[in-house]
Amino acid sequence: MQRFLSLIFVLFFLAGCLDASSIGCGEGYEETRAGDYSIDSITLDPTTNQLSVVVKNEEAASGFIRENESLEQEQTIWVTLQIQHNGQITPIQGGDTAHSWTVAGDSSNGDSWVSTLTFTSPDGFCDSGCEEIRFTASNYDGIFYHDGTCESSPWFAV
């Protein structure tokens, strides 16, 4: 009985030290967490070799995916999709048009991300194979983590 009471006593005083941030994701996780995202779909069209990736906003702040001079920096969400293909990694950013990708949020003009964000490659992008994708997002205050995990940008098979 004395051991049981001692155990209860110790657990009572340690309860304040055992919160999710100190056990789960480590120091500073809550300060850097801007929200969560999940990969809604990864589709490779077998006829055109066009890759389409849809990212879903899970409990995160919405914002603009392209920088705009009239907006304050806090309203911008920087998004990047990295594609591992043909022995190299190609990064596609929200405002990037150098690779002829379409990057569109679900707002009426496609410039902001509320619940989904879609990356679509040009036809033939995966002609020599696309192996994996990795998505990263951050805003002025923090990082978006994958689906409640401690990882911000894990790799996903195509």
Side-chain angles (χ1 to χ4, degrees), residues 64-82:
F64 290 87
I65 59 171
R66 293 180 234 301
E67 292 188 38
N68 187 326
E69 290 179 17
S70 65
L71 299 174
E72 293 186 26
Q73 191 174 14
E74 290 85 7
Q75 296 173 298
T76 302
I77 297 174
W78 295 280
V79 295
T80 302
L81 181 71
Q82 292 180 322

Side-chain angles (χ1 to χ4, degrees), residues 5 8 13 29 32 37 39 48-49 84 87 90 92 95 100 115 118 121 123 125 136 139 142 146-147 155:
L5 289 175
I8 295 296
F13 285 104
Y29 172 74
T32 62
Y37 71 89
I39 302 297
T48 63
N49 282 327
Q84 185 172 0
T90 301
I92 306 299
S100 302
S115 60
T118 305
S121 78
D123 287 352
F125 181 82
T136 58
N139 64 13
H146 175 256
D147 208 11
W155 285 99

Side-chain angles (χ1 to χ4, degrees), residues 108-121:
S108 60
N109 63 3
D111 285 340
S112 64
W113 180 24
V114 178
S115 60
T116 59
L117 177 64
T118 305
F119 291 84
T120 307
S121 78

Side-chain angles (χ1 to χ4, degrees), residues 2-157:
Q2 185 177 5
R3 285 186 183 173
F4 177 72
L5 289 175
S6 296
L7 179 62
I8 295 296
F9 181 78
V10 169
L11 289 177
F12 176 77
F13 285 104
L14 285 177
C17 298
L18 298 175
D19 63 1
S21 63
S22 65
I23 293 175
C25 295
E27 201 172 320
Y29 172 74
E30 285 303 320
E31 288 85 22
T32 62
R33 183 177 172 268
D36 293 324
Y37 71 89
S38 61
I39 302 297
D40 195 48
S41 66
I42 301 171
T43 309
L44 180 59
D45 185 310
T47 306
T48 63
N49 282 327
Q50 181 185 59
L51 179 64
S52 178
V53 177
V54 178
V55 181
K56 187 173 182 185
N57 188 346
E58 307 275 354
E59 300 179 27
S62 60
F64 290 87
I65 59 171
R66 293 180 234 301
E67 292 188 38
N68 187 326
E69 290 179 17
S70 65
L71 299 174
E72 293 186 26
Q73 191 174 14
E74 290 85 7
Q75 296 173 298
T76 302
I77 297 174
W78 295 280
V79 295
T80 302
L81 181 71
Q82 292 180 322
I83 304 93
Q84 185 172 0
H85 68 105
N86 200 22
Q88 59 187 1
I89 295 175
T90 301
I92 306 299
Q93 298 173 336
D96 188 3
T97 56
H99 296 95
S100 302
W101 281 66
T102 302
V103 182
D106 57 351
S107 67
S108 60
N109 63 3
D111 285 340
S112 64
W113 180 24
V114 178
S115 60
T116 59
L117 177 64
T118 305
F119 291 84
T120 307
S121 78
D123 287 352
F125 181 82
C126 292
D127 281 349
S128 58
C130 288
E131 295 93 38
E132 296 178 304
I133 61 103
R134 176 167 56 189
F135 174 76
T136 58
S138 62
N139 64 13
Y140 184 75
D141 293 325
I143 300 167
F144 291 76
Y145 288 93
H146 175 256
D147 208 11
T149 67
C150 302
E151 292 190 69
S152 60
S153 54
W155 285 99
F156 296 93

